[in-house]
Amino acid sequence: MDKKATKSTTATTTKGKVATSKKQPVESIVAKPTASVKKVATTTENKQQQPVANKTNGAEKKNNNKKVETVVAQPTAVPVKKVVESNTAAADASGKSLGKRKDTQSKPKAVIQEEKEDKENTFNFTKEIEEEEEEDQVAPEQESGDEDDLADFDSDAEDDDEDKELDDEYKKLLEFKKALANVEDGDDEDDDDEDSDDDSEEGLMSLESDDLESDEEDDIESDGVSTTTNGTATSKTDASSEDEYNDDPNQFYETDDSEEDESVVNRVGNIPMHWYDDEDHIGYDVNGNKIMKGEKRDALDKFLDQADPKFWRTVYDKVNDKKVELTDEDLELIKSIRQRRFPGGYNPYEDWYDPGPNPDSIHPLSNAPTPKRSFLPHKADELREVRRLAIAIRAGWIKLDDTKEEKESKANYDLWAPKSEAERQEDELLERTEKRISRIPAPKQKLPGHVESFNPPEEYLLTQNELKAWHLMDPSRRPHNFVPQKYEHMRRIPTYNNIIKERFERCLDLYLCPRKQRLKKLDKDGTHLLPKLPKPQDLRPFPSYEELQYKGHTSRVRSISVSPSGQWLASGSDDGTIKIWEVSTTRCVQTYNVEHTVFCVQWNPNKNLNILAASYDTKIIIITPKLYGEEPNPELESIFAKSSNDGQSGATKWYLLNKENGIRIEIENEFKVKTINWHHKGEYFSTVASEDQAKAVKIHHLSKRKTQAPFKKSKSAYQVSKFHPSKPIFFLADQNVIRVYDLMKQKLIKKVMTGSRYISSIDVHPSGDHLILGGYDKRVSWFDLDMSQPYKVMRYHKEAVRRVVYHPSLPLFASCSDDLSIHVFHGMTYDDYIQNALIVPLKILRRHRSDDGLGVLDIVFHPTQPWIFSAGADSTIRLFN
Amino acid sequence: MTVIGYNLVRQSNSHHKDSYSPQTDELSYNIIGNNARFVLLVLIMDNNQVVVKEEGKVKVRFVTNDPNIRVTEIAFGVPERIGRLGLSELVNHLRSEEDTTQHKPFDFLINGQFIRTTLDKHIKKAGLKEEDTITIEYVEAVTEPKREQENQHDDWIASVDGGSLVGLALTGGYDFGARIVDCSANTLITAVGHQAAIKSVAWTKAAKRSHLAFLTASLDQTIRYWHADADAKTVQPMCIFKAHQGSVESVASNPDGTRFASGGYDNKLRLWDLQNLPQPQPQQQPNKKSRKNGAIASSTNILEPSIITESLSTLEKHSQPITTIDWPTQFQLISGGMDKSIRLWDLETMSDTQTMMASTALHVVSYSIDSGLIASGHADHTIRLWDPRIRDGKFNIGSLLSHKNWVTSISWKPGSSTQLLSASHDGTVKLWDTRSKVPLFTIEKHTDKVLSCDWLSNPTDSSNPYIISGGADTKLKIYNN
């Protein structure tokens, strides 16, 4: 019926949207201009018969409480004071907004009017209202009467629709405000409570809105007939509500709910309001009094209302049956809702304000240390617990653990009892898992020190120079990967940049950890690799100091030999002499001049004979030095007496001499005999000529004066031969191989592949089970004759090894070399086959001087004493003790 | 007037004599020492006032067993840093010998140990209290003999024996001959007959110059018994003991010369009887060869020595050659050898009663009659002292280490329980006192190895025997003061 048609389209479009954002703009609606209240107040003054309306209006404005009270003069006003202003304000505004809706073109005018509004006196306003009422009153008549004007009707219906929309929005606004009020109050009530509390309003609202929507058509139909159609209702409300207010002076009396929503006078709840269409009241107030319907307003009234400049902003509150004029704020709010914005004045991006610790907070925030007693259990508690447990045990609720006893019984484990199948499997499993998985504990992280502190001691902070140096330093060399810094308090500490990286590295460490096989102990000097040997001090006696020198030779001493008694020392030298020395006094007792380089001297092992064999040039001579005077030794003479077989045996010629100086036999050879070795009984001796020829190795029989050459030519030249110390076994070494022959069976027993490139010397252990060999390849090897491989190969000489010897009685052996050193070893052998020989280096004797690259040419041990004699290229013989 | 205290003060510059201060009755003397001057302040007082002991001083009292050098036994305060020399000078002064030429050097002992450092160090080392009065025993110091005579031999001297009472030394050497040398280093007699070097000689009877008897052991495996007359300069081989299978290294007769023992490279210790020996028979045919070296004693009728091949007994306990034998008293026979053992033999049961094992081969043993100790010379340069009376097995009571090579000979000083002489391959002869770790003196006159040394009794002054030594430099040296 109104000319709101222009707006209708927009209203309908926004209608749905409003619902979505209805709750937001609540706050802005809170503030109400006082003017509207005054208006209402004036109206009440004018219309004495509407106390309720006055009251509500008065209650809305706290500021104007007095005024209202004076006007109404009712005790119920007191609780009403608290009523949130918004509702009535909204109600006021609804009327205005309605008016505003009507013509958007006239909006500027309206705004001016609004601005003026405040200044308008209340009287005028009441007039307006009266006019509106009049119009409303006229309107029904018009409506009912103007049935011919269909277009009008249509437009009316449209208007009605639009009105409805506005109403809807208003309702939503109300809901909004309520909800906001709830929120603002900071209600901690449960949802249920909230529901129950708000049931009356929300339910009502929702119902209303539902009805409104569903009843759109009904409204149109019943427009003319029923008084309760929306269209009519809106026109009526103002008047009727004013009437109703008069009826219920105590309607808000002392209700909590009223506090929440003062505007809701009608307490029927959220029901379809058309139920009351046929009644003369629209519901009941809080005290159960009927709220009478306001004056019915017809279409004419509505039309007349349009004359009201605030008509466009006036809405009809169906529940309370009154008109509400929307304030500017409300309008703004609605506007923003329609535009789907936040309501004006609400900043969703407001800065967060930290109020800081609340002084009234119930939680202590002091950092005073927690008293110790707080950790201790209260005595009473303990007693109570004990009592409880005792009772429980007595009652049998708690069963005491018997496992301990079981464990004890397990400790007395019957070792010999047959294991059950399960046990065996368990053991097996356990064993397997324990063996396979050797867990390495995760590497522990270093605990932070003072440097890592947020407030490190001054000395940890870097100075400028240090900082520079730190930056210049290679990252891997830096003591820390951060610069120690000082912060006032922990809140100032920035995020640590490398935390991800370090976490990652840590994870990597842990991930890689199980793969690392840690060595038990990394010993850099490698001493742990050395075998555990007894200390040389514990292996005394062994030669360690040079004691005596046997001086007399003028050239290299090639060969030395100690008599079996240990009293005499024979030496052969390049100066063409063979000398015999008294060991203990270094006295040279005999000298034989043979005028050739003496290759070898060797005492006969028979103690009683004192026979010396020597070789020079191609000759071997047998000497019986007259050490004990002229007195002939019958045993000795018997050897040389049997001269029957004197003569030749092959190429070897024996000549029996009887010289004054004691040279008894001369044996002429084809080759230069380099080594002589006596059989342990002193009957035989073998000679080796290092010529690469057959018959280089010969075995001579002394008393029979016979020579045999049973050995074939070898691949390489024979070097040295040895008789076994006790058995009829013969060792013959060429440059690489040692062949072991059984002299009785006359066959090769064993062939020792030595691995040496050039054997220079071998010696057989007094037990006969071991062998040492020295080579010109600087190596000394120890062979266990039961093994095919050398037991030990030792490379300690820097030059060719000239001689290796065993001590005849003590567990010693030694080697000498051209590097001027004599190495003395402890070489203990054991009778049981399990234990390997123990070789301990004892002493390096380095006294000889070099001569033309030659060093120590020969060494020999004293037969009983721990003395070693050495013959050097420096023409000296030395005794080491 | 009594002397109640002495105060020895080291004085750096003053050497004026006798600054007498009448106020304090102080007398000061100057004693001129080798290095430092000491002023002895003698406080002479009429009353018996006691001089307060000052800081840094030790109270000492000097005692001695020798009445000739005895001084007062009152305790004195002496500076604790005083050494042997200062003490010696102090004692000399106490003897009130003002003439420094009459001064004798003294040696000082505290609890039987020679002072070789300063007094305070010695006290500290010995663990004595400085507060107590320390009794210092002093003896006349043994000084290196000043006079030296030598007798040139033809070859190395292997053995010397100066055990005659008449001051005759017996030597044997590598010239196969034995010589009798008097204390003026004149060769009296040369005994020739061995076919190899003589390794050991021993007097058996040497009480009279005209009736001398001695033994020589040789490399030729024999021992010869000789009679000699030093006055007539004759020597007669009496017997040849021929049983050893190796060279005879050592020979020793019992004190009364009735038996002797020999040992050698055949590891056997043989006992021989010197009584009831067959008299040497006149030579059937003159010896075909006269020795080149060693003038044969001028005896017209040559008597052929009888040969004895059977010893009284043979003691076969040594496992290695016997190098030394000592027969100091009638019932004590000691032998030592390369088997590192020192064996004491019971001559009644012919068994070794005691064996003391050394760590190295030994070359010489010597028994001291006065102290009952045995000294042994070893191949490890050491002289070891043994007390055979100790029963718990730890016979070795000490060792004297100063030689730089094998110790070849040891001889206890006759009549002394502490002094012994040693010779070594290093060419030195040292005199030791068992109470000191350091030799009393070292004679380094030899140019080569010293093979033997001994005391030679001084017929004129029995308390001051000669020292004889011989070795590889072929010189027999006789030293005395």
Side-chain angles (χ1 to χ4, degrees), chain B residues 153-413:
Chain B
H153 280 46
D154 294 336
D155 210 333
W156 292 14
I157 298 160
S159 177
V160 295
D161 189 355
S164 73
L165 300 174
V166 290
L168 292 175
L170 181 67
T171 69
Y174 284 82
D175 55 1
F176 302 179
R179 289 183 166 95
I180 294 172
V181 181
D182 68 5
C183 49
S184 309
N186 302 314
T187 306
L188 301 178
I189 300 161
T190 302
V192 180
H194 277 296
Q195 293 174 356
I198 292 170
K199 291 291 286 181
S200 180
V201 291
W203 289 110
T204 53
K205 286 173 191 160
K208 286 183 197 163
R209 280 173 72 91
S210 55
H211 288 87
L212 299 169
F214 61 92
L215 292 159
T216 57
S218 165
L219 283 176
D220 64 5
Q221 308 180 354
T222 63
I223 303 120
R224 285 182 186 234
Y225 182 59
W226 310 77
H227 278 182
D229 186 345
D231 295 330
K233 296 193 177 181
T234 57
V235 65
Q236 172 61 45
M238 298 300 289
C239 272
I240 299 172
F241 302 93
K242 200 185 264 184
H244 280 291
Q245 297 293 308
S247 65
V248 187
E249 290 290 305
S250 184
V251 67
S253 76
N254 65 352
D256 62 0
T258 54
R259 285 198 283 179
F260 77 94
S262 67
Y265 263 87
D266 60 354
N267 308 351
K268 287 169 187 156
L269 183 67
R270 288 178 187 274
L271 286 175
W272 308 83
D273 195 3
L274 284 173
Q275 290 168 322
N276 310 318
L277 290 173
Q279 287 299 312
Q281 301 299 316
Q283 207 166 6
Q284 307 298 324
Q285 50 197 6
N287 214 346
K288 44 197 170 186
K289 272 184 274 176
S290 67
R291 303 299 310 177
K292 292 169 275 182
N293 45 5
I296 291 170
S298 55
S299 56
T300 47
N301 50 346
I302 296 164
L303 296 175
E304 182 72 16
S306 56
I307 294 170
I308 295 169
T309 54
E310 283 192 14
S311 56
L312 278 180
S313 61
T314 306
L315 308 173
E316 296 182 55
K317 285 281 180 161
H318 280 285
S319 59
Q320 286 186 38
I322 294 162
T323 53
T324 175
I325 299 167
D326 195 11
W327 199 334
T329 63
Q330 208 65 30
F331 305 105
Q332 276 176 301
L333 178 63
I334 301 161
S335 69
M338 305 274 271
D339 60 355
K340 308 171 188 177
S341 64
I342 301 167
R343 287 169 199 272
L344 278 69
W345 301 93
D346 185 344
L347 294 170
E348 298 299 322
T349 59
M350 294 298 165
S351 62
D352 59 334
T353 53
Q354 208 169 335
T355 305
M356 299 182 286
M357 293 302 293
S359 56
T360 51
L362 53 103
H363 297 113
V364 62
V365 288
S366 181
Y367 181 84
S368 166
I369 302 161
D370 300 284
S371 64
L373 297 178
I374 295 169
S376 63
H378 293 262
D380 61 352
H381 315 173
T382 316
I383 297 161
R384 289 192 170 82
L385 297 170
W386 310 82
D387 192 342
R389 295 161 293 192
I390 293 173
R391 288 292 160 201
D392 62 354
K394 292 176 180 176
F395 305 110
N396 191 355
I397 56 165
S399 54
L400 306 171
L401 186 57
S402 172
H403 279 299
K404 291 178 178 63
N405 214 320
W406 289 5
V407 179
T408 52
S409 180
I410 288 174
S411 177
W412 290 87
K413 184 176 183 181

Side-chain angles (χ1 to χ4, degrees), chain B residues 452-473:
Chain B
S452 186
C453 66
D454 201 5
W455 296 94
L456 178 58
S457 59
N458 191 340
T460 54
D461 181 6
S462 63
S463 68
N464 188 17
Y466 298 96
I467 294 166
I468 53 172
S469 66
D473 60 355

Side-chain angles (χ1 to χ4, degrees), chain B residues 110-171:
Chain B
I110 297 174
N111 293 343
Q113 287 295 314
F114 275 107
I115 298 172
R116 287 286 178 255
T117 55
T118 55
L119 194 57
D120 57 338
K121 280 183 188 167
H122 186 92
I123 286 166
K124 209 171 182 179
K125 204 174 175 187
L128 301 171
K129 287 178 186 168
E130 289 192 25
E131 290 77 20
D132 299 344
T133 301
I134 294 158
T135 306
I136 300 181
E137 189 189 350
Y138 62 100
V139 293
E140 215 169 311
V142 182
T143 52
E144 197 172 332
K146 298 177 187 74
R147 285 204 298 142
E148 175 197 341
Q149 296 156 294
E150 69 176 45
N151 181 302
Q152 182 70 44
H153 280 46
D154 294 336
D155 210 333
W156 292 14
I157 298 160
S159 177
V160 295
D161 189 355
S164 73
L165 300 174
V166 290
L168 292 175
L170 181 67
T171 69

Side-chain angles (χ1 to χ4, degrees), chain A residues 21-50:
Chain A
S21 57
K22 57 184 174 183
K23 284 209 172 180
Q24 292 180 0
V26 183
E27 283 210 342
S28 56
I29 306 167
V30 175
K32 282 290 134 194
T34 52
S36 62
V37 182
K38 284 174 187 172
K39 290 175 208 163
V40 178
T42 47
T43 50
T44 48
E45 274 176 353
N46 293 339
K47 301 182 178 180
Q48 295 284 331
Q49 76 272 21
Q50 290 180 336

Side-chain angles (χ1 to χ4, degrees), chain A residues 541 547-548 565-568 582-587 607 627-631 862 864-865 867 879 881, chain B residues 155-156 174 195-196 199 219-221 242 247 249 265 320 338 340 361 379-381 405-406 425 449 451:
Chain A
E547 294 282 353
L548 305 175
S565 64
Q567 195 178 5
W568 311 106
E582 192 184 19
V583 167
S584 60
T585 57
T586 73
R587 165 87 184 187
K607 261 191 176 183
L627 300 166
Y628 302 125
E630 304 290 339
E631 196 74 21
H862 190 278
T864 52
Q865 296 295 323
W867 300 344
L879 165 64
N881 177 15
Chain B
D155 210 333
W156 292 14
Y174 284 82
Q195 293 174 356
K199 291 291 286 181
L219 283 176
D220 64 5
Q221 308 180 354
K242 200 185 264 184
S247 65
E249 290 290 305
Y265 263 87
Q320 286 186 38
M338 305 274 271
K340 308 171 188 177
D380 61 352
H381 315 173
N405 214 320
W406 289 5
H425 270 313
K449 293 176 274 288
L451 297 178

Side-chain angles (χ1 to χ4, degrees), chain A residues 515-719:
Chain A
R515 296 188 181 180
K516 288 184 188 169
Q517 271 301 329
R518 271 197 300 176
L519 287 174
K520 270 183 184 173
K521 202 178 181 184
L522 193 65
D523 203 354
K524 277 180 183 171
D525 56 0
T527 45
H528 69 286
L529 295 171
L530 295 173
K532 278 179 186 170
L533 295 174
K535 286 181 180 173
Q537 294 94 297
D538 304 335
L539 299 171
R540 288 187 188 281
F542 58 86
S544 39
Y545 303 106
E546 184 194 330
E547 294 282 353
L548 305 175
Q549 279 189 35
Y550 302 84
K551 289 177 186 165
H553 281 296
T554 54
S555 187
R556 289 169 193 155
V557 183
R558 288 264 174 197
S559 175
I560 50 173
S561 177
V562 182
S563 73
S565 64
Q567 195 178 5
W568 311 106
L569 173 72
S571 65
S573 166
D574 274 6
D575 60 6
T577 56
I578 298 161
K579 284 177 185 282
I580 297 170
W581 314 77
E582 192 184 19
V583 167
S584 60
T585 57
T586 73
R587 165 87 184 187
C588 176
V589 292
Q590 288 275 10
T591 302
Y592 300 94
N593 198 340
V594 295
E595 291 166 351
H596 285 92
T597 295
V598 180
F599 296 124
C600 187
V601 289
Q602 208 61 241
W603 285 100
N604 186 309
N606 192 332
K607 261 191 176 183
N608 301 323
L609 294 180
N610 280 320
I611 298 171
L612 181 69
S615 67
Y616 63 92
D617 199 24
T618 59
K619 285 174 185 152
I620 303 161
I621 50 169
I622 307 294
I623 310 168
T624 55
K626 290 177 178 168
L627 300 166
Y628 302 125
E630 304 290 339
E631 196 74 21
N633 186 339
E635 195 184 344
L636 189 67
E637 295 307 320
S638 69
I639 292 169
F640 298 101
K642 294 174 191 167
S643 58
S644 58
N645 211 358
D646 190 13
Q648 298 177 359
S649 65
T652 313
K653 299 181 183 74
W654 290 69
Y655 301 106
L656 196 63
L657 310 169
N658 210 344
K659 286 187 185 173
E660 173 73 15
N661 56 11
I663 297 175
R664 306 295 289 266
I665 293 172
E666 197 175 276
I667 306 164
E668 183 72 39
N669 268 290
E670 306 99 304
F671 315 116
K672 291 182 177 174
V673 173
K674 289 289 166 68
T675 62
I676 300 169
N677 183 239
W678 286 92
H679 186 252
H680 64 277
K681 281 177 182 163
E683 273 291 291
Y684 298 90
F685 65 97
S686 67
T687 59
V688 177
S690 58
E691 248 73 16
D692 191 5
Q693 298 282 343
K695 296 186 179 178
V697 181
K698 289 172 181 173
I699 295 177
H700 310 268
H701 193 280
L702 177 64
S703 54
K704 287 179 182 168
R705 290 189 276 286
K706 272 187 176 174
T707 300
Q708 290 173 293
F711 303 103
K712 288 178 195 162
K713 179 178 175 294
S714 172
K715 277 180 185 170
S716 57
Y718 286 114
Q719 293 296 311

Side-chain angles (χ1 to χ4, degrees), chain A residues 8 29 67 269 472 491 562 666 776 830 835:
Chain A
S8 64
I29 306 167
K67 206 188 248 180
L472 290 173
R491 261 187 284 159
V562 182
E666 197 175 276
Y776 294 111
Y830 301 94
Q835 211 163 355

